[in-house]
Amino acid sequence: MKSLSRRLFTASALAFGLSLSASAQAADIELRFYYPVAVGGPITKIIDEYAAGFEKENPGIKIKPVYAGDYVQTIGKALTAVKGGDAPELAILLAADITSLVDEDAVVPVDDVIKTPADKAWVEGFYPAFMENAKLKGKTYAIPFQRSTPVLYWNKDMFKAAGLDPDKGPKDWNEMRDFAKKLTKKDASGAVTQWGIEIPSDGNSLWLFTGLTTGNGVRINNAEGTKVNFADPKVVEALQYWYDLSKVDGAQPAGLINWGTTPRDFIEGRTAMMWHTTGNLTNVKNNAKFPFGIGFLPGKTQFGAPTGGGNFYFFKGMSAEKQAAALAFVKYMTTPERAADWSTKTGYVATQPAAYETPAMKAYAADFPAAIIARDQLKYAVPEMTVHENQRVTKLANDAIQAVMTGAKPADAALKDAQSEAERVLKDFN
Amino acid sequence: MKTLRMLGRGVEQGAAWLLGLLWLLPLVFAVWTAFHSPAYMAHFSFTAPLTLENFKNAWQAAPFARYFLNTTLLVVGILIAQFTLCTLAAFAFARLPFVGSRLLFALVLIQLMVAPDILLLENYRAIKMLGLMDTLPGIALPYLASAFGIFLLRQTFLTIPKDLEEAARIEGCGPFGTLWRVYVPIARPIYVAYGLVSVSWHWNNFLWPLIITNSVETRPLTVGLAVFASSDQGIDWSVITAATLMTSAPLLIGFLLFQRQFVQSFVRAGIR
Amino acid sequence: MKTLRLSLYGWLMVLPAATLLALFTHIPVVESFVHSFMSTDKPKRPSRFVGLDNYDSLVADPIFWKSLTNNLIYALGSVPLSIAIAMMMALFVNDKLAGRSFLRVAYFTPTILPMIAVANIWIFFFTPDYGLLEQILKPLGLGGNNFLGSNNTALLAVTIVAIWKESGFFMIFYLAALQQISPDLKEAAAIEGAGRFTFFRRVTFPLLMPTTLFVMVNALINAFRVVDHIFVMTGGGPNNATSVLLFRIYEVGFKYFDFGLASAMTVVLLCVLGLVALGQFFALDRRVHYQ
């Protein structure tokens, strides 16, 4: 009997002690943050390092980074978590997902989260080009983190061999077409051994297409995200130009050009020029055995490029305490130093002018001037298409582009069909 | 006549080998690309230097050690649960008379047609409701009651002569005892065959675990592999083949070592 | 009394499996039907009964019809070929040719490799210009192809990958069946002077019918189930040329979050599988007789 009561005492003492430590743990705020990986390299490791660094500076807050796949899978997970009542606190999602997130009532405006004038200054410190589709109905919903734009890459050796100035990329559509024709090489049997240009057309072809349309001086959607403009003659002209590069000029491969294999095509010397994300810089730099140039995407009447990539979003349903912790983490992740670090390690564009002033970035840019091109292109950049029911409408555009590039439909018919379908989808929002 | 026969045999031999080489091509390519630097990916020259760099990059790109652990736990857990559940159910269907046995068995057979992956949406909701999101049991649960396993085992149990039960009954065994002492040992080849099918299937399952898992602690290898599959930088075949070899190695080695037993167990299982 | 006790044991033993099956197969099937008649849950408009609205949208959706036809073509393309190749492989391995172990491993390896990784390798094979197939076809003057990027070859490419993946698995079943064929039959045929091909046609092939049936049903079901490679290789493109039912269900359900529409599609898929089941049921009945 005596031993039993002693055992009971020890047990309860232990339990009490455990509960004390448990409640001490309970005081720790835990923030789950979903992130996608869209570029190569040890991204998960870098993210984990950042999180650990933050935890060290902020005891009492625990960050749980959740790698969630690519952008599509990540928004999928985030929204299903929201619908299941189990939303994370933060997520890095496509800038273009803003309408879906707001429509599903999943996120809170950044304006509601920030408190001090210093915070406000921080929000205003990002490039306007990136903030353009971080806003909806006058409210800011997102903070830029991993943003990119496509750029033109060219093989300098091939330029020289074709009699072109290796240091000057084409500056408009005419030059791009002419250069591409000059750079296309055929062998004795007439088969092409070297293509002039490759603009990938599979997958999310709308992104690169926005470069062509912006370069023709036309916008694909309105700022409110309620209307699209697929059948505009200038949009049709842009698609026709793209298709003609293969069909008429013979300078681009026929059929769909695969986004994933284009960088390898370029590195292997199968194409002299390519349009691809700036996120590929490090990859090309490490693997290309020839000097290469980076330039703005040539447009018809002006330069133009889409922005892409992901922003931080704050999810609804957080306590004031968690929200403050989340804000601290996002601020930590987007200091100029960290933005510069992230940019140099991944190839994404640094999100603030201040990042380009940091010593680390200056040294990197001095060593590798191509890194600055994407930044300079920002003044011609527009957000990628951001409308309600974004995934659906994007697919309509992609299908139209793919139909044209595979020769299944002419450009005007395909875009007209896409436009009427899109109007049907967006009916409820007008 | 004999020369014709020999010629025929020669053609057959050649065709078999050609098919075999064709079928192995992706694996051969994977081995080539994994052990060479990206520069040699599309150029198959014999003097290209070998490297282990790709494996290092692959290993570092994601916590594969943890993924291996998760997948192993998942697959073993599923196997044990399937063996238990399916054995019990199969025995009940085969030897125990209970009302509604035939109807229930017909209902079980439905799962042969309608695999859990077809019912993605609804199963996702079910797992959520049970609070098992992002857990290994959450991935495993829809697959544990395998109609295929129940079907196989029931078929086998039916062929076991009833008089074998006598010995067990004399010793005073109830249904459980009879099952364990008599039926299970005889059905061993079926367990081996089914086990091998189950392991290889669940080791490589992708879509369902993708939907269910979120964190490193539960993610299996296939989902971990997906981190290479979706890159803005384009497909890096060197790293992805290295990762593929790493993650398939256990199954490949297992099959290489046990292929004869594998086939034999299918033979003895009488799966026709 | 004893039967009652045994009955009880029976129910007890079946209970765990039955519960799980109910939870993850039967109830979801019913739920799919129910949800297909309800609208998708949205913050401003909770889910409500809408009758046949989802089915109307489905009928009006050209991508749905394309996915359905693609799936049928994919099934018709992959099933007979993978069965034929599997049978051939089993015959090769069973015939005691040289390098039998190597052949067995070679044929079965695709089954062991994860589809998500293997699909990337196949992308390389199909890549224009420097892909493996092009490297072989170009010297023959058949180059200039873009298999994954053309409307008429994308589905074919995806089907080829499926056949490659499945055949080895089915081979095992045929192998087991072949080893059950009594060698006496072969001796008898040899004595009667029947050639190898005649033997195959008159004896082997009919005896393999049960296996063929079993394999065929499995292959048909897999044709609706195996979509991993489509995710990686084509993403459903070009312009939905490789979109199949389950892929579209994932797209509509997990990308657009339109659960009502996705449920309706699931119901269609279930009906198709149901037809396959009915077909098997009747064939199985006949099979049982000559067992």
Side-chain angles (χ1 to χ4, degrees), chain C residues 40-107:
Chain C
T40 304
D41 220 1
K42 287 207 182 294
K44 299 194 179 79
R45 220 181 3 170
S47 182
R48 64 184 208 286
F49 182 74
V50 287
L52 290 173
D53 269 8
N54 288 321
Y55 289 98
D56 284 338
S57 308
L58 216 54
V59 167
D61 181 11
I63 303 183
F64 163 69
W65 288 110
K66 191 122 184 62
S67 307
L68 187 60
T69 36
N70 283 344
N71 223 154
L72 292 171
I73 298 175
Y74 178 66
L76 266 123
S78 60
V79 172
L81 268 171
S82 46
I83 294 179
I85 294 179
M87 202 185 294
M88 206 164 59
M89 287 175 171
L91 287 168
F92 284 158
V93 172
N94 198 43
D95 265 353
K96 296 188 174 40
L97 297 170
R100 196 174 163 196
S101 283
F102 159 77
L103 287 177
R104 202 162 41 200
V105 171
Y107 296 150

Side-chain angles (χ1 to χ4, degrees), chain B residues 169-236:
Chain B
R169 208 166 302 148
I170 289 172
E171 293 189 28
C173 286
F176 282 100
T178 321
L179 173 62
W180 181 248
R181 296 277 194 85
V182 180
Y183 286 86
V184 170
I186 297 183
R188 225 177 66 110
I190 288 67
Y191 284 108
V192 174
Y194 179 68
L196 292 167
V197 171
S198 172
V199 165
S200 64
W201 207 91
H202 289 285
W203 189 274
N204 290 327
N205 196 12
F206 171 65
L207 194 55
W208 174 251
L210 174 70
I211 296 174
I212 294 291
T213 60
N214 284 324
S215 57
V216 175
E217 288 78 35
T218 51
R219 197 172 290 141
L221 286 168
T222 41
V223 180
L225 268 177
V227 78
F228 300 108
S230 50
S231 173
D232 265 359
Q233 286 181 344
I235 306 177
D236 186 353

Side-chain angles (χ1 to χ4, degrees), chain A residues 113-181:
Chain A
V113 178
I114 57 177
K115 304 276 178 261
T116 66
D119 288 346
K120 219 161 171 285
W122 162 68
V123 174
E124 280 161 21
F126 293 97
Y127 280 111
F130 293 146
M131 292 306 285
E132 210 184 314
N133 63 349
K135 298 197 173 111
L136 196 63
K137 297 201 189 90
K139 295 202 186 157
T140 307
Y141 282 95
I143 298 292
F145 180 66
Q146 53 187 49
R147 303 302 296 270
S148 59
T149 76
V151 290
L152 176 78
Y153 295 72
W154 75 84
N155 185 325
K156 287 191 176 177
D157 284 346
M158 289 182 179
F159 264 45
K160 229 189 293 185
L164 299 163
D165 182 349
D167 295 316
K168 285 216 183 82
K171 62 182 189 314
D172 59 24
W173 283 10
N174 285 332
E175 278 199 354
M176 191 161 80
R177 179 177 36 224
D178 288 341
F179 286 20
K181 288 211 288 216

Side-chain angles (χ1 to χ4, degrees), chain C residues 74 126 148 153-162 229-230 233-234 242:
Chain C
Y74 178 66
F126 287 124
L148 293 174
T153 50
L155 192 58
L156 176 68
V158 158
T159 311
I160 290 177
V161 178
H229 56 309
I230 296 178
M233 292 174 76
T234 57
T242 53

